[in-house]
Amino acid sequence: MKILKTPAEAIEYRKSLKGTLGFVPTMGALHEGHLSLIKKAREENDFVIVSIFVNPTQFLPGEDFNKYPRRLEADFEICKRAGVDAVFTPSPENMYSEDEILVKAPKIKGYILEGFFRPGHFDGVLQVVNKLFNIIRPTRAYFGKKDAQQLYLIKQMVKNFFFDIEIIEGETIREKDGLAMSSRNIYLSEEERKRALSISKALKRAAKLSMSTKNIEKIKEEMLKILDVDKLQYIAFVDRDFNYIEKIQPNNTIILIAAYVGSTRLIDNIWI
Ligand code: PAF
C-alpha cells in the first residue's frame, strides 16, 4: 500500500492508474462505518484511495480540532487489510495557502441545521472535498448517510461544479445496541454512552410511528419522551433535498437529531 504525503505525489500516482478509482475521504480514526465504505469502494472499482486528513477549516474556533483522535499507524493497518491501494495523508500546509479562493456552502441549505449550529463548517468541508476531488479525480466517491447534510451538499457541489464523479451513499453503521458509529464516540464516558443511546432509540421509535401517523408534532413529542441528552440542538424533519416538511413523506423523509451528551456533540438520523 502506497502512502502519499503531498498533493503532488497523489497527482502523480493518480496519473499512473488505468481503470476505475474509488475514493473514501476521511479524517482518520477509522471505524466500521469507514470500513464499510472502503469495502464498497473495493468491490466496485479497480483501485481504491483513502484520504486521512483532519481538515482544520471545517472546525469552528473552540471545537475539537486539537483533540480530534489521530491514529495514523492503526488506520494504515486497517486500510492495508481492507485492500486499499493508497492512502493520501497531506499536511495542512500542503493543502492550504494564505488568502485562498474559497468555496462557499449555499446560503440556505449550508446554513440550516448543522450549518446553523456550526456556521462555516460546510464551507470548510466543501473547500477540502473540492481540493481532494481535484487531486484524486475519482470515478466514484463514498460518503456515509450519517452525515446526511454533508452528503446532500457534496452532491450539490458535484452538480454545481460539474465534477464527473459519482457520489455513492453508505448506510450508517451502528454498534450492536444501536449507537451510530462515530470517531467522537470515544469522548463518551460509560454513563454518557448509555444516555447517548437514547438518540438512536428516539429515531427508531420515530420510524416506527411514521408507519401509523404522518403527524410530525406527534412523532416529535414521543421522541422527546425518549431522549435523555444534556442539550438538544435540533430534531428536524426534512425531505431528501433538505427542505423542511410538514408531514412525513414516505420514502422521502430524513429525521435528524443533534445533541450534546456531556460535552460531546452527537448527530444521527434515520431515512424513512
Ligand atoms: O466526513 C468527514 O470525515 C469529513 O467531513 C470529510 C468529508 C472527510 C471532509 O473533511
Side-chain angles (χ1 to χ4, degrees), residues 113 202-203 205-207 209-210 213-227 232-237 244-245 248 255-257:
L113 303 169
L203 289 167
R205 177 91 182 113
L209 280 171
S210 73
T213 177
K214 303 284 164 265
N215 185 325
I216 282 173
E217 283 315 310
K218 226 164 154 183
I219 295 176
K220 202 169 162 182
E221 227 172 82
E222 291 302 310
M223 292 172 80
L224 286 170
K225 284 184 200 161
I226 294 170
L227 282 173
L232 177 63
Q233 286 193 321
Y234 59 80
I235 296 181
F237 295 72
Y244 287 109
I245 52 172
I248 297 289
I255 309 177
L256 309 112
I257 296 180

Side-chain angles (χ1 to χ4, degrees), residues 192-207:
E192 288 166 348
R193 197 197 171 289
K194 277 189 194 141
R195 287 191 298 114
L197 264 188
S198 69
I199 296 175
S200 55
K201 281 190 181 148
L203 289 167
K204 218 171 147 195
R205 177 91 182 113

Side-chain angles (χ1 to χ4, degrees), residues 23-28 34 37 51-59 68 96 118 121-122 124-126 128-129 132 142-144 147 150 154 183-184:
F23 176 45
V24 185
T26 81
M27 296 204 300
H34 298 112
L37 296 176
S51 66
I52 298 177
F53 179 58
V54 185
N55 171 38
T57 64
Q58 69 189 76
F59 289 81
Y68 197 86
Y96 289 102
R118 306 181 69 191
H121 164 68
F122 287 124
V125 169
L126 297 176
V128 80
V129 172
L132 291 168
Y142 295 76
F143 294 88
D147 292 301
Q150 165 175 288
I154 287 168
S183 305
R184 290 187 166 101

Side-chain angles (χ1 to χ4, degrees), residues 245-264:
I245 52 172
E246 286 175 1
K247 275 189 178 151
I248 297 289
Q249 299 176 11
N251 301 315
N252 190 29
T253 298
I254 310 174
I255 309 177
L256 309 112
I257 296 180
Y260 277 92
V261 179
S263 57
T264 306

Side-chain angles (χ1 to χ4, degrees), residues 67-270:
K67 77 165 187 177
Y68 197 86
R70 287 159 170 89
R71 295 193 297 239
L72 216 44
E73 288 308 319
D75 288 346
F76 287 161
E77 209 36 56
I78 290 170
C79 288
K80 213 186 282 175
R81 269 190 262 128
V84 168
D85 296 288
V87 177
F88 176 46
T89 58
S91 66
E93 295 71 31
N94 277 324
M95 288 294 274
Y96 289 102
S97 56
E98 271 183 32
D99 198 20
E100 290 216 336
I101 291 177
L102 298 174
V103 179
K104 284 290 285 174
K107 284 199 191 88
I108 298 171
K109 290 176 185 174
Y111 284 86
I112 57 170
L113 303 169
E114 282 307 282
F116 178 79
F117 287 98
R118 306 181 69 191
H121 164 68
F122 287 124
D123 298 350
V125 169
L126 297 176
Q127 181 84 4
V128 80
V129 172
N130 200 298
K131 287 171 188 275
L132 291 168
F133 281 177
N134 281 314
I135 295 165
I136 306 294
R137 289 184 294 108
T139 317
R140 302 183 183 88
Y142 295 76
F143 294 88
K145 281 168 138 181
K146 175 167 177 291
D147 292 301
Q149 195 175 359
Q150 165 175 288
L151 172 62
Y152 166 77
L153 291 169
I154 287 168
K155 281 186 182 165
Q156 196 58 39
M157 181 174 76
V158 163
K159 266 192 215 154
N160 291 165
F161 288 3
F162 303 101
F163 278 109
D164 184 16
I165 296 171
E166 192 183 346
I167 301 299
I168 310 285
E169 301 173 349
E171 293 303 323
T172 299
I173 305 298
R174 298 178 181 280
E175 305 279 359
K176 276 202 187 81
D177 56 11
L179 185 72
M181 299 249 181
S182 161
S183 305
R184 290 187 166 101
N185 288 350
I186 56 156
Y187 301 153
L188 297 167
S189 70
E190 215 174 295
E191 182 272 334
E192 288 166 348
R193 197 197 171 289
K194 277 189 194 141
R195 287 191 298 114
L197 264 188
S198 69
I199 296 175
S200 55
K201 281 190 181 148
L203 289 167
K204 218 171 147 195
R205 177 91 182 113
K208 193 155 184 218
L209 280 171
S210 73
M211 292 195 259
S212 54
T213 177
K214 303 284 164 265
N215 185 325
I216 282 173
E217 283 315 310
K218 226 164 154 183
I219 295 176
K220 202 169 162 182
E221 227 172 82
E222 291 302 310
M223 292 172 80
L224 286 170
K225 284 184 200 161
I226 294 170
L227 282 173
D228 184 11
V229 297
D230 293 305
K231 192 163 75 183
L232 177 63
Q233 286 193 321
Y234 59 80
I235 296 181
F237 295 72
V238 298
D239 66 15
R240 299 280 199 266
D241 290 324
F242 273 80
N243 300 300
Y244 287 109
I245 52 172
E246 286 175 1
K247 275 189 178 151
I248 297 289
Q249 299 176 11
N251 301 315
N252 190 29
T253 298
I254 310 174
I255 309 177
L256 309 112
I257 296 180
Y260 277 92
V261 179
S263 57
T264 306
R265 188 174 183 279
L266 298 171
I267 59 169
D268 197 357
N269 63 65
I270 201 155

